[in-house]
Amino acid sequence: MRSPGSAAQYLPEDRGLDALRAAAGGCQGCPLYADATQTVFGHGDPGAPLMLVGEQPGDQEDRAGLPFVGPAGRLLARALDDAGIDPALTYQTNAVKHFKFTRKGGKRRIHQKPSRTEVVACRPWLLAEIEAVRPQVVVCLGATAAQSLLGAAFRVSAQRGEAIRFPSSVDVRVEPEPIVVATVHPSSVLRDRSDAHDEAYKLFVADLRSARNVYAH
Ligand code: URA
Ligand code: SF4
């Protein structure tokens, strides 16, 4: 059945990552495809034990066509290293696959938070990635990713770093279902220029470490 306003109708029959990536390139499941440069699909180890889910591509990711290549990605890479996580053993993606922005002044593109409707429209790609990669742990980076999987009522501040069972309300065909760990978005750590910056970074690394402890025994 065609469901307007969702990525679902663009999912290919072949659910391998390459086929998914190719199909996502033509997705028009919500209005965000119109102004962005390209779909930024997930990238990394196709059998990764650990999947990292951000919010949406930023300006640099939109141009490069790859997730986490800009400033937030650099902070994430450093934090993974400090948490003892090999980036080659991760698969990195976003809750929403197109960059949402407004233009300020001349050319500068300013990130805009995706709406709940857009997050829900894009979720079929994320669920298909989880089914294809079969990670042991899914780390949600920030509220957008966490709420995409755990529901709109989920609060990162209340449950960050905890190992959470995959919600039964979300329909993924993967056995065993991955554990979910939510933490803040690396951009929030980056933006924190206060005295609390070092502490925010340490807490972020600690959350990544607890995600690592779920699969590294
Ligand atoms: N922020 C995200 O959430 N994802 C990216 O890919 C880059 C920045
Ligand atoms: Fe499709 Fe997601 Fe892009 Fe919307 S944001 S057009 S649902 S890939």
Side-chain angles (χ1 to χ4, degrees):
M1 199 182 73
R2 286 174 73 84
S3 56
S6 167
Q9 62 193 296
Y10 295 90
L11 286 191
E13 235 162 70
D14 175 352
R15 295 298 178 86
L17 274 183
D18 291 344
L20 288 169
R21 182 177 293 107
C27 184
Q28 301 187 356
C30 82
L32 294 184
Y33 75 89
D35 295 329
T37 307
Q38 58 191 319
T39 306
V40 179
F41 203 70
H43 180 79
D45 177 4
L50 193 139
M51 182 183 283
L52 296 155
V53 186
E55 180 190 72
Q56 61 165 338
D59 179 73
Q60 293 189 34
E61 288 79 13
D62 171 78
R63 296 172 203 273
L66 287 168
F68 290 110
V69 293
R74 284 192 289 278
L75 185 133
L76 175 61
R78 182 157 68 91
L80 287 173
D81 191 44
D82 285 340
I85 295 170
D86 179 355
L89 297 180
T90 68
Y91 179 89
Q92 306 189 3
T93 192
N94 285 297
V96 169
K97 305 303 196 240
H98 274 107
F99 179 35
K100 182 177 184 180
F101 60 92
T102 50
R103 286 194 189 276
K104 207 170 189 181
K107 278 185 125 187
R108 219 161 98 74
R109 303 189 299 174
I110 310 294
H111 159 277
Q112 267 200 310
K113 197 174 148 59
S115 69
R116 178 78 188 156
T117 312
E118 290 153 352
V119 172
V120 170
C122 209
R123 188 166 48 195
W125 294 124
L126 178 61
L127 300 184
E129 286 175 298
I130 292 172
E131 289 182 352
V133 176
R134 310 170 64 85
Q136 293 174 47
V137 193
V138 176
V139 178
C140 296
L141 302 168
T144 300
Q147 292 178 353
S148 177
L149 288 181
L150 301 170
F154 184 84
R155 293 291 169 264
V156 172
S157 53
Q159 279 186 275
R160 64 180 296 177
E162 284 179 26
I164 298 168
R165 285 185 57 173
F166 202 89
S168 54
S169 54
V170 176
D171 183 25
V172 288
R173 280 151 292 174
V174 44
E175 269 297 322
E177 287 166 341
I179 294 293
V180 183
V181 174
T183 183
V184 296
H185 194 282
S187 301
S188 75
V189 181
L190 207 57
R191 275 196 307 266
D192 190 342
R193 294 265 167 245
S194 70
D195 294 347
H197 173 87
D198 288 356
E199 186 58 23
Y201 179 77
K202 276 192 201 131
L203 289 173
F204 181 52
V205 171
D207 289 346
L208 293 175
R209 209 173 275 129
S210 58
R212 178 179 176 274
N213 288 339
V214 174
Y215 73 90
H217 299 289

